[in-house]
Amino acid sequence: MNEMSYKKVMQWAEAVPVRKKLLCLLNTLLPVIIGGMYAFCMVVCFFLYPVLLVSLVLRPLLCFFTVTLLRYLLKFPRPYDVYDFVPLCGYHPGKERSFPSRHTASAAIIAFEIFRVASGFGSLALILAVMMGMLRVLCGNHFIKDVLAAFVLAFFFYII
């Protein structure tokens, strides 16, 4: 998306206050829902498949730290800093930690790990992770490349 696209999305969302509130609510709730699914999966694995707990914890942890390190080293600006607009929610000017999206990478690796344990439950988690990535772009917090890179990194950690 370019500057005009982001500003049009901001105008579209702000034109109907309920729409903006819904987008921000989803932006806040999706990480919580995926986190809850992850916790539930860990409890189930603890009792039924304890051997899977190592990968269920280790891969997301490695992915999280790798993404955090990349963000720290690369210092890519966020769309709202580049194009000078106020995003729909989660506004932190000058943060310079856009690439890759940590929310999306975390959600994606968790969804992949849940998929490894229970494919049906994991499919739902993957859908929610994709929605989260889309919301990160629509709300103006990330560029599309940030979200795509997050999914690629999460998939890499899933297959290793």
Side-chain angles (χ1 to χ4, degrees):
M1 287 181 31
N2 58 23
E3 180 177 8
M4 181 81 73
S5 300
Y6 277 108
K7 289 182 177 179
K8 281 184 181 178
V9 169
M10 298 307 120
Q11 290 171 349
W12 170 80
E14 290 175 355
V16 179
V18 173
R19 188 182 299 153
K20 180 182 177 181
K21 285 184 181 183
L22 179 62
L23 288 171
C24 289
L25 180 66
L26 284 172
N27 197 37
T28 302
L29 281 182
L30 284 177
V32 174
I33 293 168
I34 292 173
M37 293 173 77
Y38 182 50
F40 176 76
C41 192
M42 285 178 39
V43 169
V44 169
C45 280
F46 179 79
F47 290 109
L48 300 178
Y49 311 107
V51 75
L52 294 177
L53 273 176
V54 173
S55 69
L56 198 59
V57 172
L58 193 58
R59 284 189 180 105
L61 197 60
L62 287 172
C63 184
F64 179 84
F65 284 126
T66 301
V67 168
T68 300
L69 180 64
L70 281 172
R71 289 161 54 100
Y72 178 78
L73 294 173
L74 297 174
K75 294 184 170 109
F76 282 26
R78 291 181 177 265
Y80 55 75
D81 288 328
V82 172
Y83 299 135
D84 194 35
F85 66 88
V86 176
L88 294 179
C89 33
Y91 185 48
H92 306 286
K95 193 172 176 184
E96 292 185 344
R97 301 278 193 275
S98 184
F99 182 86
S101 169
R102 191 168 39 206
H103 276 88
T104 306
S106 297
I109 189 64
I110 286 169
F112 288 138
E113 288 301 318
I114 292 172
F115 187 83
R116 183 186 313 272
V117 174
S119 60
F121 200 49
S123 296
L124 175 61
L126 281 168
I127 291 168
L128 295 176
V130 169
M131 285 176 59
M132 184 186 304
M134 290 169 45
L135 277 169
R136 301 301 293 165
V137 174
L138 286 175
C139 290
N141 295 97
H142 286 284
F143 291 103
I144 293 171
K145 68 179 169 66
D146 304 340
V147 170
L148 293 176
F151 270 101
V152 168
L153 280 168
F155 187 72
F156 170 76
F157 279 98
Y158 171 67
I159 61 173
I160 61 166

